[in-house]
Amino acid sequence: MKGIAYLGPRGTYSHEAATIWGQRAGQDSFLACPDLPGVLAAVLQGQAAAAILPVENSIEGAVNLTLDLVLENPELQVIGEVVLPVHHCLISRAGDLATIREVWSHPQALAQCRHYLAQNLPGVITRPATSTAAAADQARQQPYLAAIASNFAAEVYQLPVLAAGIEDYPDNKTRFWVLGRENLHLPGPYKTSLVVAAVANRPGSLYAILKDFAAAGINLTRIESRPTKQELGEYLFFIDCEGRATEPPLREVLEGLKAKTSLLSILGSYARDGGGTSGR
């Protein structure tokens, strides 16, 4: 049975999100990939049934590469989402904090635990790693090293957790998109992701698009701009809204937008995640 492709190595937040989606989809096979294009390629080449990619983080913002990849591969659709709280742990084979000489992690994780490190490990060397999971693997090999990673990574690499919840922002979350060829039609409520571009770069063009959603009482849960990569000052708008694209009132709004946009692409309608079942 083809499984779920994710950004590796084992133990990343992407891996954890993939296991959560696997529980919902009834899949227990997973494929680690070296980069985000590779995650998507695994589905396109038939090696995996679905791909899970981080699309936004509550602190760092949008993952622009994911937005670009989704737009460049219209043969795949967004079939689901996973919202994962990011809870960092200090994990190590060291017996206590006093024996730790270096702390490794992804640069974002190091930055997100800056206050904890300053208060509890002052003067200890911090070193960047390609991922929190790669840092955990280093800590597994060297007893004087510690890694900042998830409790999930600690279980994968069988490392003791010396301190949990060390992040500076306790409400940090990462949202992942699940991409595939066929929707699973899980229980709702549903949301729809789409990308639009205005007919012309003129005053009020974005308002002309958005006002129809407001008039229909449709809540927009996210809007993100990306350059078209053609002309300076021209943008695409990625929009998430409540409802299914094939059902009213969203169906009528989308039909009306065809005359107001130079691009209107439905990326997918899928069951909404409630906001955290267990981040990047």
Side-chain angles (χ1 to χ4, degrees), residues 92-217:
S92 177
R93 290 168 52 198
D96 53 47
L97 299 186
T99 59
I100 295 173
R101 285 187 257 165
E102 297 181 4
V103 177
W104 290 51
S105 196
H106 187 276
Q108 287 183 359
L110 290 172
Q112 291 168 8
C113 299
R114 179 170 54 87
H115 293 144
Y116 174 86
L117 293 174
Q119 293 173 8
N120 296 275
L121 292 167
V124 171
I125 297 171
T126 58
R127 295 195 185 278
T130 54
S131 68
T132 55
D137 189 37
Q138 287 292 327
R140 179 180 60 86
Q141 300 176 50
Q142 302 289 344
Y144 63 89
L145 297 184
I148 294 175
S150 65
N151 186 70
F152 179 80
E155 294 175 357
V156 168
Y157 292 95
Q158 299 183 332
L159 284 167
V161 175
L162 301 186
I166 65 172
E167 63 276 1
D168 298 338
Y169 304 96
D171 294 328
N172 186 10
K173 295 178 181 179
T174 295
R175 176 172 169 243
F176 295 82
W177 269 346
V178 186
L179 284 97
R181 297 186 185 277
E182 297 183 6
N183 209 317
L184 297 182
H185 304 292
L186 297 174
Y190 267 61
K191 68 194 301 185
T192 294
S193 294
L194 59 142
V195 60
V196 299
V199 173
N201 185 10
R202 60 173 180 259
S205 58
L206 180 58
Y207 170 75
I209 293 172
L210 300 183
K211 70 180 180 65
D212 289 353
F213 291 94

Side-chain angles (χ1 to χ4, degrees), residues 1 7 20 69 97 128 138 140 142 167 176 252 266 277:
M1 182 178 180
L7 178 62
I20 292 171
L69 289 171
L97 299 186
Q138 287 292 327
R140 179 180 60 86
Q142 302 289 344
E167 63 276 1
F176 295 82
E252 286 74 18
I266 309 302
T277 49

Side-chain angles (χ1 to χ4, degrees), residues 211-220 242 249 253:
K211 70 180 180 65
D212 289 353
F213 291 94
I218 297 173
N219 184 38
L220 302 183
E242 295 178 348
V253 169

Side-chain angles (χ1 to χ4, degrees), residues 11-21 24 52 54 56-59 81-89 109 112-113 132 148-153 164-176 273-280:
T12 59
Y13 286 102
S14 291
H15 185 192
E16 184 175 2
T19 64
I20 292 171
W21 179 255
R24 298 178 192 167
I52 189 158
E56 64 172 325
N57 176 265
S58 59
I59 295 175
E81 68 173 2
V82 175
V83 179
L84 186 66
V86 178
H87 295 307
H88 294 310
C89 300
Q112 291 168 8
C113 299
T132 55
I148 294 175
S150 65
N151 186 70
F152 179 80
I166 65 172
E167 63 276 1
D168 298 338
Y169 304 96
D171 294 328
N172 186 10
K173 295 178 181 179
T174 295
R175 176 172 169 243
F176 295 82
D273 192 330
T277 49
S278 116
R280 190 172 62 189

